[in-house]
Amino acid sequence: MNVLVGLAIILFVLMKVIGGEKGIRSFMALFFNFGVILLAIFLMANQGNNPIVITLLACMAISYVNLFYINKFNFKSITAIISTIITLVFLILLIFVIVERSKIQGFGIEEVEELQFFSFNVGIDFSKIAISTIIMGTIGAITDTAISISSAMNEIYQHNPSLDSHKLFKSGMNVGKDILGTTTNTLFFAFIGGYLALIIWFKDLAYSFGEVVNSKVFSSEVISIFCTGAGAILIIPITAWLTAYSLVTYKKQKK
């Protein structure tokens, strides 16, 4: 417990020194988002509640905290959250199809031994839980990419107000391409770091490459990463176009 408190204090001090007021809000947002996720889990555990609906509401709450609470209510946050909603709509359709065809819901055979003493009759549709897990995993990357592009494009337009929507969109796409490279690498290394023990376990079990790829534990995480990556890619042109169109249109209306 003392270690956790010490690390929390170090994190707070660093965020305060480097981020100032926004750093403090970012630190508080961690606890707000944790509370939203915890509440969503409790609501999902109650039979009769639709996990997907709860997840979407939780994602909207997390997006509000990440965009409006941290960055306040401004043009950048508005375009970012609209882009997030549009991306989620397209992404949900993709996730539905992938989960239905891949059958990754439930537990893998590697987990059965640990769970054999528990009842599996929990009264929850695990297909919906699998969809909810992937959606929840994408929201952080999507909002992060959206606000990064929107903020960068606002700065570009403020220093170059003569840019038309096409040139501004192109600048936003260039920023997005740079973000995309680091985002995909972050997702990859997050998977490797989080599941390094699982990969070592597969080696000890003498799994072939085909058995590893077809393992439900492994494939479910890889599919989640691919869906998150697809969301991070899809939101780049959506945010760039929406921001460019909105900025130029707003300028014309002011004239």
Side-chain angles (χ1 to χ4, degrees), residues 188-205:
F188 172 74
F189 287 114
F191 167 75
I192 294 298
Y195 284 86
L196 184 60
L198 177 64
I199 297 172
I200 295 174
W201 188 26
F202 283 151
K203 180 182 181 301
D204 291 339
L205 293 174

Side-chain angles (χ1 to χ4, degrees), residues 14-192:
L14 290 174
M15 295 179 76
K16 167 63 178 175
V17 171
I18 297 175
E21 182 184 352
K22 185 174 288 188
I24 296 175
R25 291 199 299 269
S26 299
F27 183 81
M28 296 302 299
L30 294 174
F31 295 94
F32 293 150
N33 288 333
F34 176 76
V36 170
I37 294 174
L38 195 62
L39 177 61
I41 292 173
F42 282 124
L43 292 175
M44 288 181 192
N46 292 329
Q47 297 183 19
N49 292 335
N50 190 322
I52 298 177
V53 174
I54 294 172
T55 301
L56 292 177
L57 293 175
C59 287
M60 288 299 99
I62 292 171
S63 299
Y64 180 87
V65 172
N66 290 345
L67 297 175
F68 290 123
Y69 175 72
I70 296 176
N71 299 284
K72 296 186 177 180
F73 194 86
N74 51 44
F75 185 86
K76 296 179 290 186
S77 301
I78 294 173
T79 53
I81 199 166
I82 294 174
S83 302
T84 299
I85 294 172
I86 295 173
T87 304
L88 275 177
V89 171
F90 286 108
L91 201 59
I92 288 169
L93 299 176
L94 175 65
I95 292 172
F96 264 98
V97 175
I98 290 176
V99 171
E100 179 63 28
R101 294 181 65 87
S102 62
K103 306 297 182 183
I104 60 173
Q105 67 272 12
F107 302 99
I109 58 174
E110 295 85 4
E111 302 167 304
V112 172
E113 183 177 353
E114 299 175 2
L115 299 170
Q116 63 181 345
F117 300 105
F118 298 92
S119 173
F120 288 89
N121 186 24
V122 294
I124 300 176
D125 189 342
F126 276 88
S127 297
K128 294 180 179 179
I129 294 296
I131 294 171
S132 299
T133 302
I134 297 175
I135 294 173
M136 189 70 73
T138 62
I139 192 64
I142 290 175
T143 54
D144 179 61
T145 305
I147 194 62
S148 297
I149 295 175
S150 179
S151 179
M153 291 180 68
N154 271 270
E155 289 294 323
I156 292 171
Y157 191 71
Q158 286 181 9
H159 291 85
N160 299 277
S162 60
L163 290 175
D164 57 21
S165 59
H166 176 71
K167 291 181 179 178
L168 189 58
F169 171 77
K170 189 175 180 180
S171 298
M173 289 298 296
N174 289 333
V175 173
K177 290 175 184 177
D178 294 334
I179 296 173
L180 178 61
T182 57
T183 300
T184 51
N185 277 284
T186 300
L187 294 174
F188 172 74
F189 287 114
F191 167 75
I192 294 298

Side-chain angles (χ1 to χ4, degrees), residues 195-240:
Y195 284 86
L196 184 60
L198 177 64
I199 297 172
I200 295 174
W201 188 26
F202 283 151
K203 180 182 181 301
D204 291 339
L205 293 174
Y207 272 27
S208 65
F209 179 77
E211 289 175 320
V212 171
V213 172
N214 288 283
S215 170
K216 183 178 289 188
V217 178
F218 180 84
S219 60
S220 62
E221 291 302 321
V222 173
I223 288 173
S224 178
I225 290 173
F226 285 161
C227 289
T228 303
I233 295 170
L234 186 61
I235 200 168
I236 291 174
I238 293 176
T239 306

